[in-house]
Amino acid sequence: MASYEQLVQDYNPTAAVKTSRFLFYGGSGSGKTTLASTFPKPFFIDTDRGMRSITTTGAKFLRLPETGAFATMLAILNDVRNGRGPFGPGGKFADRQTIVIDSISALADEYLMAEIMRDNKRDPQVENAQRDDYGRLKIALTQLGNLIKDISDTHNVVVTALVEEEKDDLTGALEGKPLMTGKYRDIIGAVFDEEYYLEVTEMMGKYDYKLYAARYKHYEAKSRLLKTMRHSNPTYESLRKDFKAA
């Protein structure tokens, strides 16, 4: 086993903000996928079949298989983290600078939970998930969250989610959170440096896409990077110009 002394590195705050972890959540059509597509050289893990909303070229995308989705996710993220395989030097995807999971709502519900229930001899089409299914889902999402943290040292990571609104059991106040199956949704924000709520309004045929980087109404949001907490029609470049360390 290597001495811990060999693991010590010098921290460089300038280098630290070159890549980051972003969570975009909002209703359908609020611009999450479009915004993700403006990030540098994106590689999409497409679970929502939402690529048709992208109008620019240059993105790579992969659709997860119905079986083996979790193993595929682990393989992709581990290859990115370790700079090997297709993401290694000279590899087919070595030029990718951003990894996008679009969306984690569909990944958790339609892929991972369904796979876990089948493993537990339950039919996800007709049966309800049980406690052990939810426990395994939380473990799987925690593993993916840890990999997301690791790969953000070298790549931007963008994860999208739908929005869920519910009343707090104690106060009765309405809360807006990323939509996810299971309890992991209550801690998912800790994985990300940036958590943005997106919405779209329409007036006389014109659409205005808004990004909120601080709490808006009852929707949670946070930012360590941005100076301005509200942006219209956001893109990666417009956000980056507003970074505190830009």
Side-chain angles (χ1 to χ4, degrees), residues 7-52:
L7 304 177
V8 176
Q9 305 176 52
D10 290 324
Y11 177 70
N12 183 342
T14 302
V17 298
K18 289 183 178 178
T19 56
S20 197
R21 304 184 295 272
F22 299 82
L23 174 63
F24 302 154
Y25 79 103
S28 179
S30 58
K32 302 180 296 294
T33 303
T34 301
L35 174 54
S37 72
T38 68
F39 274 64
K41 296 183 179 179
F43 181 95
F44 276 78
I45 301 170
D46 177 28
T47 65
D48 254 350
R49 304 297 194 269
M51 299 296 291
R52 289 185 179 182

Side-chain angles (χ1 to χ4, degrees), residues 98-205:
T98 304
I99 305 300
V100 182
I101 301 174
D102 186 35
S103 69
I104 201 166
S105 302
L107 174 65
D109 192 23
E110 299 174 24
Y111 289 87
L112 301 186
M113 179 58 89
E115 189 173 285
I116 288 166
M117 290 183 67
R118 288 192 294 267
D119 287 347
N120 288 336
K121 310 302 181 185
R122 283 187 274 273
D123 185 346
Q125 300 295 323
V126 298
E127 297 181 75
N128 293 324
Q130 302 299 313
R131 176 177 290 184
D132 58 330
D133 299 323
Y134 287 109
R136 285 186 58 186
L137 177 64
K138 184 177 180 180
I139 291 171
L141 290 170
T142 299
Q143 285 184 261
L144 297 181
N146 288 336
L147 284 170
I148 286 171
K149 291 178 182 178
D150 288 344
I151 66 177
S152 69
D153 287 342
T154 56
H155 294 69
N156 289 305
V157 184
V158 175
V159 174
T160 71
L162 291 171
V163 64
E164 180 176 38
E165 298 179 347
E166 64 178 12
K167 287 187 177 180
D168 182 89
D169 292 336
L170 295 177
T171 67
L174 197 61
E175 295 183 335
K177 297 181 178 180
L179 172 63
M180 292 189 64
T181 295
K183 293 296 185 180
Y184 191 74
R185 66 172 185 171
D186 295 327
I187 60 174
I188 187 175
V191 174
F192 298 92
D193 304 304
E194 308 295 295
E195 181 179 0
Y196 302 153
Y197 170 69
L198 279 71
E199 71 174 17
V200 59
T201 56
E202 185 268 337
M203 182 176 293
M204 299 183 67

Side-chain angles (χ1 to χ4, degrees), residues 64-75 111-112 115 118-119:
L64 289 178
E66 291 186 4
T67 58
F70 182 59
T72 303
M73 289 293 303
L74 287 180
Y111 289 87
L112 301 186
E115 189 173 285
R118 288 192 294 267
D119 287 347

Side-chain angles (χ1 to χ4, degrees), residues 178-234:
L179 172 63
M180 292 189 64
T181 295
K183 293 296 185 180
Y184 191 74
R185 66 172 185 171
D186 295 327
I187 60 174
I188 187 175
V191 174
F192 298 92
D193 304 304
E194 308 295 295
E195 181 179 0
Y196 302 153
Y197 170 69
L198 279 71
E199 71 174 17
V200 59
T201 56
E202 185 268 337
M203 182 176 293
M204 299 183 67
K206 292 185 177 181
Y207 294 90
D208 184 22
Y209 296 89
K210 287 284 195 306
L211 176 149
Y212 296 91
R215 187 174 182 89
Y216 166 69
K217 296 180 180 178
H218 51 273
Y219 300 104
E220 297 179 356
K222 66 177 183 180
S223 177
R224 295 172 178 155
L225 294 178
L226 294 178
K227 294 177 288 187
T228 308
M229 296 295 103
R230 175 175 169 172
H231 288 256
S232 290
N233 302 312

